[in-house]
Amino acid sequence: QAGEAVPAAQRSSWTSFLKSIASFSGDLSSMTAPPFILSPVSLTEFPAYWCERPELFAAIGDQHNPEDRALTVLKWFISTLKGQYTSRNESMGSEKKPLNPVLGELFYGKWPDLNGRGQTDLLVEQVSHHPPITAYAIENKSKGIKLVGHNAQKTSFSGGSIIVKQIGHAVLMVKTPSGETEEYVITLPRLRIDGLWYGSPYIELAETSYIISKSYVCTIEYKGKGYFSGKSHSFKAVLTPAPGVSGKDHVIEGLWHTTSKFIGGPRNGKDFHDVTGKKEEVTALGGESGGEMGEFETRKLWSLVAKGIRDGDFETASREKSKIENEQRQRRRDEAAAGTTWQLKHFTHINSDPVFERLSPLAKIVPPTEDFYTFNENWPPTSR
Ligand code: HCR
């Protein structure tokens, strides 16, 4: 039955929400949705999913040759997908609509040093509000690994599903034993949000994403039910030496939210990844002196809205959300009157990323150029 997971009092607003998304394409995040589908978490917290298994991120820095590093990067990447795309279903029963970050919203965090893996630091900044663009930097200094990226989304509606094209890419930088910095361009899969009719949305990944370094090109294909294995959340990854590089191909197949195996190449038949075990949440940190959270830090900024959503007090949530939005509008008006613009704290926008321009042709990505937000390297403070 339509809307069977929707509270009876919200069925008509769910139907109108679905009608409006069906006739709309662009920025879904700013649309008003019925309370049952709201998440109390802002999109600025999502980059933490990149490091829910910090030891896998750290392991990239321990590899001694390009082939092992490329395989370890792939293993870490696949292991992030479960958190990125299924964790709201696990914790809240379905995919939800996250809080739409304000310009300049910040999130700082860390995963502490355990068992010699080194500390990993996280920094996130909302670098645009319209359209929403979130930039992030994740670094394990002691292992010489840094991930810098940004993401935005373009949404459309097709065959009863929301299709989300992810805009943006990440660059992973790894210090090799010879002291060189090896770079990887990571592109992002397309999402299909299904289950809308029933009021219990969930995500399936689709199409292809890439991980490209000067030594290896990895093509990852995503399928849902009825493809490779007939199961949801299937993927197949082919890792190939870049032109002119000698090495072996590796083929891996499985389910990104559970396990996968090598199905071709020198390790044929061996296990590849397993994310059924424990994950590790980020420890949120305050960015002000003394570890306090500033007014723009996501958990402080949205605290009353988030509490309202968690407590089912949607009147308070909506009143507090309007306060934040009105304050933002006023800020933009003041800036316009003063002839100034908002200054980003940690990132600088560039029209074309030289790393993407250099590496994307190896996977024949079109167009071979993309903008980027470079990280200003002013975090973490040395005392952390
Ligand atoms: C599409 C989405 C906002 C963007 C979220 C992204 C793409 C953000 C970057 C992360 O690395 C990965 C990620 C995971 C989320 O699944 C994805 C969100 C899912 C829903 C949300 C829409 C704006 C809200 C749609 C409203 C529905 C649930 C009715």
Side-chain angles (χ1 to χ4, degrees):
Q1 191 205 325
E4 65 191 16
V6 182
Q10 295 177 41
R11 289 219 172 125
S12 71
S13 63
W14 181 241
T15 313
S16 350
F17 177 71
L18 291 185
K19 276 193 192 138
S20 47
I21 44 184
S23 56
F24 158 99
S25 131
D27 174 9
L28 242 192
S29 52
S30 57
M31 285 178 62
T32 307
F36 84 95
I37 207 72
L38 301 178
S39 152
V41 179
S42 158
L43 264 187
T44 51
E45 296 212 23
F46 281 44
Y49 291 127
W50 284 110
C51 210
E52 279 187 332
R53 291 176 174 76
E55 65 293 342
L56 290 184
F57 190 61
I60 298 167
D62 294 332
Q63 308 308 311
H64 295 289
N65 61 65
E67 183 174 352
D68 287 341
R69 273 195 297 276
L71 281 165
T72 312
V73 170
L74 175 62
K75 183 172 173 176
W76 155 75
F77 174 79
I78 296 293
S79 303
T80 69
L81 301 178
K82 177 180 154 89
Q84 307 257 27
Y85 304 112
T86 70
S87 57
R88 277 81 50 201
N89 288 65
E90 285 187 2
S91 61
M92 299 187 258
S94 81
E95 186 55 70
K96 299 276 176 182
K97 186 173 182 292
L99 296 170
N100 188 19
V102 304
L103 179 60
E105 189 172 317
L106 297 162
F107 184 47
Y108 301 109
K110 70 167 185 183
W111 292 267
D113 179 12
L114 282 180
N115 308 321
R117 70 182 184 196
Q119 173 169 311
T120 306
D121 293 288
L122 164 77
L123 172 157
V124 185
E125 180 170 7
Q126 189 69 13
V127 293
S128 167
H129 179 64
H130 268 313
I133 307 176
T134 310
Y136 50 87
I138 300 176
E139 181 165 21
N140 182 328
K141 269 214 167 83
S142 65
K143 296 284 178 179
I145 320 163
K146 184 164 59 182
L147 179 77
V148 179
H150 69 281
N151 58 265
Q153 300 84 39
K154 251 202 187 120
T155 47
S156 55
F157 197 75
S158 164
S161 305
I162 298 173
I163 309 295
V164 182
K165 180 177 184 227
Q166 297 206 67
I167 318 278
H169 64 275
V171 174
L172 179 73
M173 286 151 275
V174 184
K175 277 252 154 27
T176 67
S178 63
E180 187 203 339
T181 299
E182 194 173 64
E183 293 156 327
Y184 295 78
V185 162
I186 302 177
T187 69
L188 306 162
R190 201 164 279 224
L191 321 182
R192 217 183 49 234
I193 308 182
D194 291 328
L196 292 167
W197 178 249
Y198 301 101
S200 49
Y202 62 92
I203 288 177
E204 188 52 276
L205 298 183
E207 302 196 6
T208 306
S209 76
Y210 301 95
I211 304 178
I212 315 157
S213 72
K214 69 173 192 202
S215 311
Y216 278 87
V217 177
C218 184
T219 306
I220 310 162
E221 254 190 286
Y222 305 87
K223 303 275 188 215
K225 270 200 184 100
Y227 292 89
F228 314 130
S229 63
K231 295 185 179 142
S232 307
H233 304 341
S234 299
F235 78 97
K236 180 175 179 177
V238 180
L239 185 72
T240 321
V245 175
S246 62
K248 302 253 169 44
D249 283 8
H250 296 268
V251 187
I252 293 134
E253 202 176 278
L255 307 178
W256 47 259
H257 65 311
T258 56
T259 58
S260 61
K261 275 188 170 2
F262 286 91
I263 59 150
R267 305 186 194 182
N268 195 11
K270 294 212 163 100
D271 290 340
F272 180 65
H273 99 298
D274 181 351
V275 277
T276 53
K278 119 177 168 351
K279 59 175 189 174
E280 204 178 311
E281 304 240 314
V282 67
T283 303
L285 299 172
E288 303 281 296
S289 61
E292 291 291 297
M293 278 194 190
E295 295 302 318
F296 270 73
E297 289 182 52
T298 187
R299 291 196 182 176
K300 178 147 187 194
L301 178 78
W302 293 105
S303 62
L304 297 175
V305 178
K307 184 171 181 324
I309 295 175
R310 286 198 176 100
D311 294 350
D313 177 359
F314 297 111
E315 232 176 271
T316 303
S318 147
R319 193 181 56 242
E320 295 300 328
K321 182 166 163 280
S322 299
K323 271 194 205 160
I324 295 173
E325 289 165 350
N326 291 338
E327 198 271 337
Q328 284 291 305
R329 282 188 207 106
Q330 189 54 48
R331 248 176 219 272
R332 300 291 90 80
R333 281 196 289 267
D334 293 347
E335 285 165 2
T340 57
T341 52
W342 179 263
Q343 296 303 300
L344 298 180
K345 199 164 176 181
H346 298 288
F347 293 89
T348 305
H349 183 247
I350 54 171
N351 288 325
S352 182
D353 173 16
V355 185
F356 189 88
E357 281 185 358
R358 208 173 334 111
L359 295 175
S360 67
L362 297 178
K364 302 191 174 52
I365 294 177
V366 181
T369 172
E370 261 192 17
D371 71 339
F372 201 61
Y373 289 84
T374 55
F375 175 46
N376 300 340
E377 305 290 343
N378 46 2
W379 183 267
T382 40
S383 59
R384 271 220 145 79

